[in-house]
Amino acid sequence: MLKSVILIGGPQKGTRFRPLSFEVPKPLFPVAGVPMLQHHVEECAKVPNMKEILLIGFYQPNEELTRFMCSAQQEFKISIRYLQEYAALGTGGGIYHFRDQILSGGPEAFFIMNADVCSEFPLPEMLNFQKEHGEASSFVILGTTANRKQSMNYGCIVENQQTNEVLHYVEKPSTFVSDIINCGIYLFTPEIFQHIGAVFQKNQQDMLLYPYEGDEQTNGNGWHRAEAIRLEQDIFTALAGQGKLYVYKTPAIWSQIKSAGSAIYASRLYLNQYHKTHPERLATNKEGGPRISGNVYIHPTANIDPTAVLGPNVSIGTGVTIGAGVRVRESIILHGATLQDHSCVLNCIVGWDSTIGKWARVEGTPSDPNPNDPYAKIDSETLFRDGKLTPSITILGCNVTIPAEVIILNSIVLPYKDLNRSFKNQIIL
């Protein structure tokens, strides 16, 4: 039997996702109309013999997470449980801490995946690849090709081209190492815990030798210091070149979802995939309905005027109201928002229950990868560059009101703001 573990992080993480992560934990943010995590859960549930999905993170159990888990369990007929870490233990520490839960029932292998990746999740292919490469207990990393410059922002993998064995692994190198990057999706056998256990023991010994080093960061919590283990730096780097670690390269879609701008890009990738996987989720041009151009997801409860024009790459949440002559492109409109007549929304995320007045224009700058480079990935831009706000998509937090006939350009508006004029290139606190 198989299991899957999804690492969902916690409230201190996802800071680049603010102000959207104030309202909902980042892994539950809707991408292409469904919570980010649902894409993972759906693909895991399709794998034959998959018995359980475990979510590991350090969010306090909350209503949204519980509701998501209940509805996903019913929809996909699979057990889903949340295991809460007592602190951020890193990608390896979390799974080591809960190793008994992962190994209960005796799975022969299990997937580990980060919640903030958008992917086609080629899980059956990884299983077949594992059977064909190395001995039965080999581990598989999902890899993809990036361009030379961007590869340095990810974990880089040097492979043996005949056997696909990982010879060398470096996390975010300072110079070019390889254009094959780590996708944050792994297939492990229970043997991985011996390797993580060895790092844990070494950390414990180091603590006995150097009891006070670095204690100011961990408030004297030595146990936490020993248990905080990173799969990438602590495990993969050591395993590379030992005949245990292999890379399965996928040409399919893949992107990280670090910032709000990358959520719009991920939404585009997933909407495009819906042609194959969920054609029923894509809106079509119907008599008496709005004009649809390209891929658009519309929740059945949304109320949209037939003179509105939507798309490409638009997803519209529950109970959204869109007035006459509204134009929406490359945007995510979250539940309960209202776009009044003739407003124009481009490259933007409109927060929950926000209102955009008549003839207002809310526009951002897309942070898309270079369309002429097949291996380009989205850049996780920093918020500021040279002391200035980097132009990016416009984000309205929840319950923001934009008055009629103003322009909001490349700005981030925090929740519960009533604006009374136009703004550009600003964070409105």
Side-chain angles (χ1 to χ4, degrees):
M1 81 161 199
L2 301 165
K3 290 192 182 187
S4 280
V5 179
I6 305 175
L7 306 173
I8 66 172
Q12 294 97 311
K13 301 284 182 218
T15 49
R16 282 178 276 182
F17 216 70
R18 291 175 184 164
L20 301 167
S21 51
F22 289 151
E23 306 311 310
V24 57
K26 178 181 158 186
L28 297 183
F29 183 80
V31 175
V34 300
M36 202 187 287
L37 268 180
Q38 188 170 318
H39 297 285
H40 299 61
V41 170
E42 211 170 291
E43 292 307 318
C44 291
K46 285 181 192 165
V47 177
N49 218 1
M50 181 68 69
K51 285 288 177 284
E52 184 173 47
I53 297 172
L54 300 171
L55 310 180
I56 296 182
F58 50 102
Y59 286 100
Q60 291 295 335
N62 55 47
E63 198 189 327
E64 287 111 333
L65 202 53
T66 312
R67 204 176 324 127
F68 167 76
M69 282 161 51
C70 289
S71 70
Q73 283 194 104
Q74 286 163 350
E75 188 178 344
F76 303 112
K77 312 280 181 284
I78 189 164
S79 155
I80 302 176
R81 288 190 300 140
Y82 174 50
L83 305 174
Q84 187 192 354
E85 301 167 316
Y86 63 90
L89 296 176
T91 44
I95 61 173
Y96 187 66
H97 186 71
F98 291 114
R99 60 194 178 280
D100 295 348
Q101 302 273 4
I102 296 171
L103 296 178
S104 73
E108 53 264 26
F110 54 92
F111 289 99
I112 302 279
M113 45 191 88
N114 290 316
D116 60 357
V117 297
C118 149
S119 170
E120 254 180 47
F121 300 104
L123 308 181
E125 293 87 329
M126 288 173 75
L127 280 164
N128 293 337
F129 176 87
Q130 187 202 29
K131 290 189 179 82
E132 293 159 11
H133 290 76
E135 66 252 43
S137 62
S138 60
F139 313 125
V140 181
I141 300 180
L142 183 68
T144 190
T145 309
N147 63 34
R148 286 180 72 100
K149 184 163 170 276
Q150 287 179 318
S151 67
M152 287 148 57
N153 301 329
Y154 299 91
C156 293
I157 300 165
V158 179
E159 63 159 357
N160 174 330
Q161 290 186 333
Q162 275 70 47
T163 62
N164 301 110
E165 188 202 332
V166 176
L167 301 175
H168 187 50
Y169 182 93
V170 194
E171 186 66 26
K172 298 190 179 71
S174 49
T175 56
F176 176 74
V177 171
S178 161
D179 59 2
I180 301 169
I181 60 168
N182 172 1
C183 289
I185 300 171
Y186 317 118
L187 174 57
F188 290 153
T189 54
E191 204 187 297
I192 192 74
F193 291 119
Q194 294 172 13
H195 300 285
I196 303 178
V199 173
F200 177 64
Q201 310 251 285
K202 181 182 170 300
N203 287 357
Q204 273 186 316
Q205 284 166 349
D206 286 354
M207 274 167 41
L208 295 172
L209 291 171
Y210 317 107
Y212 301 110
E213 201 173 285
D215 258 2
E216 59 278 0
Q217 295 141 334
T218 53
N219 305 326
N221 182 349
W223 185 255
H224 175 210
R225 251 178 65 197
E227 264 206 308
I229 296 167
R230 302 159 306 179
L231 270 180
E232 297 79 12
Q233 290 96 319
D234 299 331
I235 309 296
F236 293 164
T237 306
L239 279 177
Q242 294 190 13
K244 287 250 183 284
L245 196 55
Y246 289 80
V247 56
Y248 172 71
K249 297 199 294 294
T250 173
I253 62 162
W254 182 82
S255 180
Q256 272 185 325
I257 308 177
K258 291 290 186 204
S259 61
S262 50
I264 290 186
Y265 177 63
S267 196
R268 184 189 318 160
L269 296 179
Y270 277 140
L271 285 172
N272 213 7
Q273 222 185 318
Y274 282 171
H275 287 289
K276 283 194 311 217
T277 55
H278 288 286
E280 76 286 353
R281 284 186 192 165
L282 291 170
T284 50
N285 282 301
K286 290 194 190 80
E287 193 66 42
R291 197 169 107 221
I292 305 292
S293 101
N295 299 333
V296 175
Y297 167 85
I298 300 176
H299 194 274
T301 58
N303 178 13
I304 300 175
D305 189 281
T307 58
V309 181
L310 311 177
N313 184 20
V314 169
S315 62
I316 289 176
T318 47
V320 167
T321 306
I322 293 185
V326 170
R327 178 71 178 102
V328 185
R329 193 179 75 207
E330 297 281 340
S331 296
I332 296 174
I333 314 295
L334 297 164
H335 76 75
T338 303
L339 277 51
Q340 293 178 0
D341 299 358
H342 307 291
S343 54
C344 176
V345 176
L346 313 172
N347 301 304
C348 180
I349 294 180
V350 178
W352 300 267
D353 301 312
S354 289
T355 303
I356 295 178
K358 295 182 178 181
W359 297 101
R361 183 181 181 97
V362 180
E363 186 177 353
T365 301
S367 46
D368 289 358
N370 176 358
N372 302 317
D373 177 354
Y375 300 127
K377 302 285 176 260
I378 196 154
D379 276 321
S380 288
E381 279 285 3
T382 50
L383 211 47
F384 294 95
R385 199 172 23 192
D386 308 327
K388 291 197 202 70
L389 186 63
T390 317
S392 70
I393 67 151
T394 287
I395 305 165
L396 309 183
C398 71
N399 293 281
V400 166
T401 306
I402 306 284
E405 301 182 22
V406 301
I407 296 180
I408 307 294
L409 197 62
N410 300 341
S411 294
I412 296 172
V413 185
L414 266 68
Y416 302 100
K417 290 279 167 281
D418 279 4
L419 304 188
N420 52 13
R421 62 179 180 88
S422 296
F423 287 92
K424 71 175 209 189
N425 302 325
Q426 288 193 39
I427 297 178
I428 300 153
L429 296 166

